[in-house]
Amino acid sequence: MAKKFKTGVLIVNLGTPDSPNTPDVRKYLREFLMDGRVIDIPYISRWMLVNLIIAPFRSPKSAKIYKELWTEDGSPLKIYGEKNEVQLQEILGDEYVVKLGMRYQNPSIESSLLALRKAAVKKIIVIPLFPQYASASSGSVYEEVTRVLNTWQSIPELKIVNNFYHKDKFIEAFVLNARELQDKRDYDHVLFSYHGVPERQVLKGDDDKRHCKLGTCCSTITPNNQFCYRAQCFETTRLLVKQMGLKEGEYTVSFQSRLGRSEWIKPYTDKVIVELAAKGVKNILAFSPAFVSDCLETTIEVGDEFKEIFQENGGENLDLVPSLNDMPIWVELLKELTLES
């Protein structure tokens, strides 16, 4: 009996250090920040900034934070990625081969693609695990996947999922997690905090330099801004707000995790929570809808650091809505994205 052709599915997340120890964190930061799509300045300037300033001085501090995040089984982001790999394989069946890859560190995109090649797949579907498209995340995955495939003599059919911020199951999963917290406490404000990117990267995405106004053009998704990260974040919020029945004034959109002195997209989350506390807001329900797995930016930055800032300025509770992690509905969405590709 002839063997059936198989389809390869590569799910890709950002990555994590191999351990929370300073040398591994330094290695991770160097690979991550040397990506020209992450720090988009000339190579020599980027090399000096990363290798002479950021990595040496930031690594020990970041290592301490990673140790707070780390579990007995390792990094949550990698743990949930591995669970998703198994879950998606089970739900798709034997006609598919599912592999997890990390854009930085291990398992690498290259090693996972090689595993798919050894499995003799006819087609490869790549799903970057970033709900909203950004050059520094999904765009970097595109670049690395094509770099690897360009070294192959025979290249299978390739499909790459661009985004999934608007998918019903994505919105529903976050709302389900939020309801568990809402059943336990009354909140007087909802905060939607997304990972930030430099303003210049958003402006670069405006190919004819006529549409992006950094704030006045994100009220809806149009052909001109369909790949704009900021616009997709605001659309994600609109969909969540509609599902939750929130009214204007009951929620705020902000951006976190800025690095360096350049201007990043605004408003900044750390400033917003201080302003909310000053207005008398006492209980915040916080979302991080740019992440599908618990990680340093959600658990530590929002769940711990921003909560502390809020309380220091007069707030009482800031509760983080958990990421999608290994929720069945999230795995169903991954299946849906696979079958649509």
Side-chain angles (χ1 to χ4, degrees):
M1 184 176 178
K3 291 184 178 180
K4 292 183 178 180
F5 290 105
K6 293 191 175 185
T7 296
V9 182
L10 177 64
I11 56 174
V12 184
N13 215 328
L14 189 72
T16 182
D18 290 333
S19 82
N21 298 322
T22 299
D24 283 334
V25 173
R26 184 183 300 116
K27 180 181 177 182
Y28 169 74
L29 288 177
R30 282 175 171 161
E31 183 181 359
F32 172 41
L33 297 176
M34 278 303 296
D35 187 335
R37 286 181 177 267
V38 175
I39 298 183
D40 54 337
I41 60 177
Y43 177 82
I44 296 299
S45 298
R46 184 168 69 252
W47 190 96
M48 294 178 66
L49 177 64
V50 172
N51 291 283
L52 301 181
I53 300 175
I54 298 179
F57 292 100
R58 191 181 180 94
S59 298
K61 180 180 177 181
S62 295
K64 292 180 181 179
I65 299 174
Y66 272 110
K67 286 176 182 176
E68 295 177 33
L69 177 72
W70 226 255
T71 71
E72 291 183 359
D73 297 321
S75 166
L77 184 142
K78 187 174 182 180
I79 292 168
Y80 286 117
E82 291 170 342
K83 287 184 177 180
N84 292 161
E85 178 185 65
V86 173
Q87 290 170 307
L88 186 58
Q89 182 67 71
E90 290 177 351
I91 200 172
L92 285 174
D94 294 338
E95 293 184 8
Y96 292 82
V97 180
V98 181
K99 292 295 177 183
L100 168 70
M102 296 293 185
R103 178 58 187 90
Y104 313 105
Q105 298 299 285
N106 301 303
S108 68
I109 287 176
E110 183 166 16
S111 65
S112 297
L113 284 172
L114 288 174
L116 293 179
R117 183 167 73 170
K118 289 180 180 179
V121 298
K122 183 179 181 181
K123 175 181 178 180
I124 296 176
I125 300 168
V126 180
I127 307 178
L129 300 182
F130 312 112
Q132 302 84 16
Y133 173 87
S135 173
S137 55
S138 304
S140 183
V141 171
Y142 280 42
E143 189 172 274
E144 178 64 7
V145 167
T146 53
R147 182 196 70 81
V148 173
L149 293 183
N150 280 339
T151 66
W152 295 9
Q153 185 67 32
S154 301
I155 301 176
E157 179 184 355
L158 177 66
K159 296 289 184 180
I160 304 179
V161 174
N162 185 273
N163 60 69
F164 51 86
Y165 66 91
H166 58 298
K167 292 293 187 178
D168 290 342
K169 287 184 174 66
F170 173 71
I171 299 300
E172 184 181 347
F174 266 110
V175 172
L176 285 172
N177 280 346
R179 283 175 182 161
E180 291 188 16
L181 293 173
Q182 289 174 309
D183 288 341
K184 301 174 183 177
R185 193 195 307 277
D186 291 326
Y187 297 95
D188 44 357
H189 203 80
V190 178
L191 178 67
F192 298 97
S193 180
Y194 297 84
H195 198 284
V197 297
E199 287 184 352
R200 66 176 180 272
Q201 293 187 5
V202 174
L203 292 169
K204 282 181 179 179
D206 183 8
D207 292 331
D208 59 11
K209 311 304 178 189
R210 292 190 300 113
H211 301 285
C212 183
K213 306 301 180 184
L214 280 176
T216 60
C217 57
C218 296
S219 59
T220 186
I221 297 293
T222 70
N224 293 321
N225 70 1
Q226 61 179 311
F227 300 116
C228 172
Y229 174 73
R230 190 176 190 275
Q232 291 184 4
C233 289
F234 275 93
E235 181 66 14
T236 304
T237 298
R238 286 189 287 269
L239 293 170
L240 287 165
V241 163
K242 181 179 180 180
Q243 188 75 12
M244 296 175 70
L246 297 176
K247 299 177 182 178
E248 194 69 30
E250 295 180 338
Y251 63 93
T252 302
V253 181
S254 60
F255 299 88
Q256 65 187 79
S257 306
R258 63 188 186 278
L259 175 68
R261 298 178 180 178
S262 61
E263 293 293 314
W264 286 47
I265 52 177
K266 301 177 181 69
Y268 300 141
T269 301
D270 55 349
K271 296 184 182 299
V272 165
I273 55 179
V274 172
E275 294 169 358
L276 290 173
K279 292 177 181 178
V281 172
K282 295 299 181 184
N283 297 291
I284 291 178
L285 180 66
F287 286 77
S288 288
F291 303 93
V292 298
S293 300
D294 289 336
C295 57
L296 187 147
E297 287 84 358
T298 61
T299 305
I300 302 298
E301 189 171 13
V302 179
D304 292 340
E305 294 176 2
F306 289 165
K307 181 177 183 176
E308 184 176 343
I309 293 173
F310 183 57
Q311 292 175 335
E312 287 175 349
N313 286 274
E316 294 179 2
N317 299 288
L318 188 153
D319 295 332
L320 173 64
V321 176
S323 297
L324 308 189
N325 295 326
D326 57 352
M327 294 177 70
I329 190 173
W330 163 230
V331 182
E332 286 286 345
L333 174 56
L334 290 174
K335 176 184 177 181
E336 180 180 303
L337 294 172
T338 300
L339 298 181
E340 288 177 350
S341 299

